[in-house]
Amino acid sequence: MATSRQVAQLAGVSRATVSRVLNGSPRISAEARDRVHAAMKALGYEPDVVAQNLARQRSYMIALGLYHEGEELAISTLSRTENYYYLDMIKYIDRGVAAAGYDLFLPSLAQNKAPENYIRSLRARRIAGTIMLALDLADVRIQALLQSAIPTVFIDTRGQGEHATYVDSNHMDGARQVTEHLLSLGHRRIAIVTGPLTDPASTERLLGFQQTLAHAGIALDPGLLCLTGWNTDEAYRATRTFLEQRHDFTAIIAGSDMMALGILRALHERGLRVPQDVSLTGFDDLAISQYIVPSLTTVKADRETMSKGAVQRLMALVEGEDAVPPLIVPSQLIIRESTGPAPSPSMQEK
Amino acid sequence: MATSRQVAQLAGVSRATVSRVLNGSPRISAEARDRVHAAMKALGYEPDVVAQNLARQRSYMIALGLYHEGEELAISTLSRTENYYYLDMIKYIDRGVAAAGYDLFLPSLAQNKAPENYIRSLRARRIAGTIMLALDLADVRIQALLQSAIPTVFIDTRGQGEHATYVDSNHMDGARQVTEHLLSLGHRRIAIVTGPLTDPASTERLLGFQQTLAHAGIALDPGLLCLTGWNTDEAYRATRTFLEQRHDFTAIIAGSDMMALGILRALHERGLRVPQDVSLTGFDDLAISQYIVPSLTTVKADRETMSKGAVQRLMALVEGEDAVPPLIVPSQLIIRESTGPAPSPSMQEK
DNA sequence: CTGAAAGCGCTTACAG
DNA sequence: CTGAAAGCGCTTACAG
């Protein structure tokens, strides 16, 4: 590996000049610039990122955290079905961050063992900022992050602070759309199988559901509310238990597409057909949702817009802007095979 | 952020001593150690990783590359359905790497624009080693990596070199198991819908399939071989086209679970039921495969063993061992709902 | 526009 | 066992 010293020598300039050329300083003569560029080419010079980071006292790395209640803040959790939703987001985040000249860093488990060191370890790496996915605002590490001066954008959690803002989808409106869709198909007894209400996304959706029902003159039956975890397996198990107690509904709104997959199986095992016997909807619109049989009616979260918005906001925070406003992205209902008219022996049409 | 200088001052020792304590040097007095530890606690000291990396001329970061033909070597590709298979692997890799005191680094797109700089940029970061998933050995960057002294473990691609080894699953035996399973169910006309034969995994499986058929006295009908891409959508489209030409088979072996999902939809749209009309099998055993309806018979790749083996081998390479032997992990057939007896109007039982 | 010098916060032979 | 000093490869006021 060639060093800036060698480049300087070959170009017949000082290392300071090499550095200036490298960093696109304006006060440099065209001639010096050309000589340095030629020398860099000749030597195959690539600046030492580690040394740059030390000298500049900052790095061009963005930490990416992933979090679900009780879980670690690590990429490991990506393999959990409840996190498939984040895969595209990571794609767009990676691209956005790369375009801005940053790299993604994934803090691993080792650092999470001592929560009180979380911030310190980010600092020790001169992390420029962090993007946090799906987390629990009450977590001590998150609180520490909010207190710190580290620029942060939260996705799917509404964390705000002097150096923090968020990006989220409009859960309430999504719930409204899907509820109206089911109502228009004649469904009156609609069950909800969703994630814990400690998660604001669940609560907002529940609210949208409730309001829409109320508009239609229908009271929410608390016995049709089934709370469970966000992943496929938990939804599957919860639905099995739920079906043993109740089956006087004609539709289920699942908290996510991956949950819907588990619910679909539970219904299947019970001999209930979708959508002939029960209509089923999800949230998210994952890649697989259009392929499963039946394909899934769902509320699409515009993850591309959210991710790009997150990167753009993070860069603003990194540049020193404060009071960066949050972004709420619209949700969109996508109708597929899993929803159909309410079966006739159900409630009468209005 | 406290520095080692402040720690030294508070403890009444030199910075060299602080450094020695930090790195667990044996030649240090218990008394000095205690004083330094106390000072570190008092100041909330966390060593500056960037400075350590520069001084040591190495970092404790492992680069993780992901690659499919024509694609970038980036985490972005994780969102493609053909890469869901790698999600658990990343989990185990992250954990293994963290346990060894390393962090994961995801080289992003920006660096890939200039392929000739790929190695340099890894070097410039003092990357300790790399783990490469699913890639094309012929790629120029991979060739450069093999030439370089950077320790590398390939997963699912058999790259070897002085500083490189690989971990793979036993594709041929997996193909044998699934073929025997279908034969035992009375299937005689079996179609294969798989990824391109430029990928050795496909070729090995085809070989296993072919050999097993031959053992049973059956010749491979080339018209029952359908080559396409690894993702869900490509498999779906290819199967649709395929079904317009042929439907004189009673079973399909898909190249992966995600491909099977697309094939399932194509069959569904054609009015063919699984497994009553056509049996269907996958490869991989993804989390969703047990939930989709019908649940999928598949060949499980033991991703936990593969990943752990990869980390262990990478650490050996990083420690300077050479000629680290590769690891081939056994495959295991998992029988679920998507396979059943060949329908009666098919070939006669033997 | 350009260079000499100090500094970023560690580590590590070299002496003792 | 411990310290003084040099070094890792850059960047950046400070002069000129």
Side-chain angles (χ1 to χ4, degrees), chain A residues 6 73 133 144 147 192 243 258 267:
Chain A
Q6 294 169 49
L73 291 148
L133 301 174
Q147 302 304 328
I192 289 214
L243 283 172
M258 290 312 288
L267 291 169

Side-chain angles (χ1 to χ4, degrees), chain B residues 254-272:
Chain B
S256 73
D257 287 5
M258 290 311 288
M259 290 180 77
L261 185 62
I263 295 168
L264 189 64
R265 167 137 293 270
L267 291 169
H268 171 71
E269 291 180 358
R270 190 89 187 186
L272 292 166

Side-chain angles (χ1 to χ4, degrees), chain A residues 4 15 19-20 23 45 52 55-56:
Chain A
S4 72
R15 290 165 56 198
S19 177
R20 292 196 186 98
N23 298 299
Y45 174 71
Q52 285 182 320
R56 290 178 181 150

Side-chain angles (χ1 to χ4, degrees), chain A residues 256-261 264 281-299 303 334-338, chain B residues 81 84 232 258 261 265 288 292:
Chain A
S256 72
D257 288 5
M258 290 312 288
M259 290 180 78
L261 186 61
L264 189 63
T281 70
F283 266 92
D284 297 346
D285 190 31
L286 300 188
I288 67 163
S289 302
Q290 57 183 303
Y291 294 105
I292 59 174
V293 176
S295 58
L296 194 66
T297 293
T298 191
V299 177
R303 301 191 284 289
I334 296 184
I335 299 172
R336 297 207 184 93
E337 299 167 354
S338 69
Chain B
T81 59
Y84 279 21
T232 306
M258 290 311 288
L261 185 62
R265 167 137 293 270
I288 66 163
I292 59 174

Side-chain angles (χ1 to χ4, degrees), chain B residues 4 15 19-20 23 45 52 55-56:
Chain B
S4 73
R15 291 165 58 200
S19 175
R20 291 196 185 96
N23 299 298
Y45 175 71
Q52 285 183 319
R56 290 177 179 150

